[in-house]
Amino acid sequence: LDKAAKGIAVPKLDTEESLKRLLAKPQMKRTQKKVRTLPLKRLAASIAALLVIAFSLYTVLRQTPQLEHVAMNGEAIELSLPDDSQVVLNAGSSLRYSGENWSESREIDLEGEAYFDVESGSTFTVKTSSGNVMVRGTRFNVKDRGDWFEVSCFEGEVAVNYGSKEYLL
């Protein structure tokens, strides 16, 4: 390597000529980049879009959760509602209600059969696919299975909306 390196001829640099060529080149101008700003309409649209997204998320997160209880075949579930009303959910049945706004709207969606011992208070409504049962502090049973809809009142009064008619038990 040493012998090969000694045999390489290095071209002589003419510093005077290189300086002349450098000085002869046109000078490069230094430019500053302009910062682009969003036009006012685009900025307003972006802010509006963010507000809509934020409101949508707030609305979704604030929705009242539905509480659901399901009694499988061969079992019965005893439970207390937020107003201390007692429910026995019979086998193969389910009920749903809103736990958060219970004081505003005491409504239950029932599929199957359940016995209710309702605390006195505002109207209490049990909704089924066949009809609705409205009560004010009473004990009653609701059965809605297929083509069979039956309401039995053991104490107090219940109003049953079935079809286009209302019955008082």
Side-chain angles (χ1 to χ4, degrees), residues 53-149:
I53 291 169
F55 180 74
S56 298
L57 284 173
Y58 174 76
T59 303
V60 167
L61 293 175
R62 288 286 300 158
Q63 284 181 350
T64 306
Q66 288 283 315
L67 301 173
E68 182 171 14
H69 298 277
V70 178
M72 303 305 284
N73 289 333
E75 73 175 342
I77 298 174
E78 294 181 23
L79 54 113
S80 293
L81 298 174
D83 64 353
D84 290 328
S85 295
Q86 301 300 308
V87 179
V88 177
L89 188 61
N90 290 333
S93 302
S94 67
L95 64 81
R96 285 178 303 285
Y97 62 92
S98 172
E100 257 183 48
N101 66 349
W102 181 259
S103 59
E104 299 166 18
S105 173
R106 297 188 335 165
E107 292 184 348
I108 288 181
D109 292 320
L110 173 67
E111 293 178 15
E113 182 179 5
Y115 171 79
F116 296 88
D117 187 352
V118 179
E119 289 293 312
S120 295
S122 60
T123 304
F124 184 99
T125 305
V126 178
K127 296 180 174 185
T128 70
S129 60
S130 299
N132 297 334
V133 181
M134 285 135 326
V135 298
R136 224 181 240 265
T138 189
R139 286 189 269 181
F140 64 100
N141 192 74
V142 178
K143 184 187 294 185
D144 183 28
R145 296 197 187 268
D147 293 337
W148 188 264
F149 180 61

Side-chain angles (χ1 to χ4, degrees), residues 16-48:
E16 292 291 323
E17 183 62 33
S18 294
L19 180 61
K20 284 181 189 177
R21 273 189 280 145
L22 181 65
L23 292 175
K25 284 186 178 179
Q27 292 292 323
M28 297 175 101
K29 292 183 180 178
R30 197 173 217 191
T31 60
Q32 292 183 347
K33 287 187 175 181
K34 292 182 181 178
V35 178
R36 291 185 68 199
T37 58
L38 288 176
L40 189 57
K41 287 181 182 178
R42 284 182 57 189
L43 181 63
S46 298
I47 290 172

Side-chain angles (χ1 to χ4, degrees), residues 134-140 152-159 168-169:
M134 285 135 326
V135 298
R136 224 181 240 265
T138 189
R139 286 189 269 181
F140 64 100
S152 303
C153 182
F154 302 105
E155 182 180 299
E157 289 184 346
V158 296
L168 187 61
L169 305 177

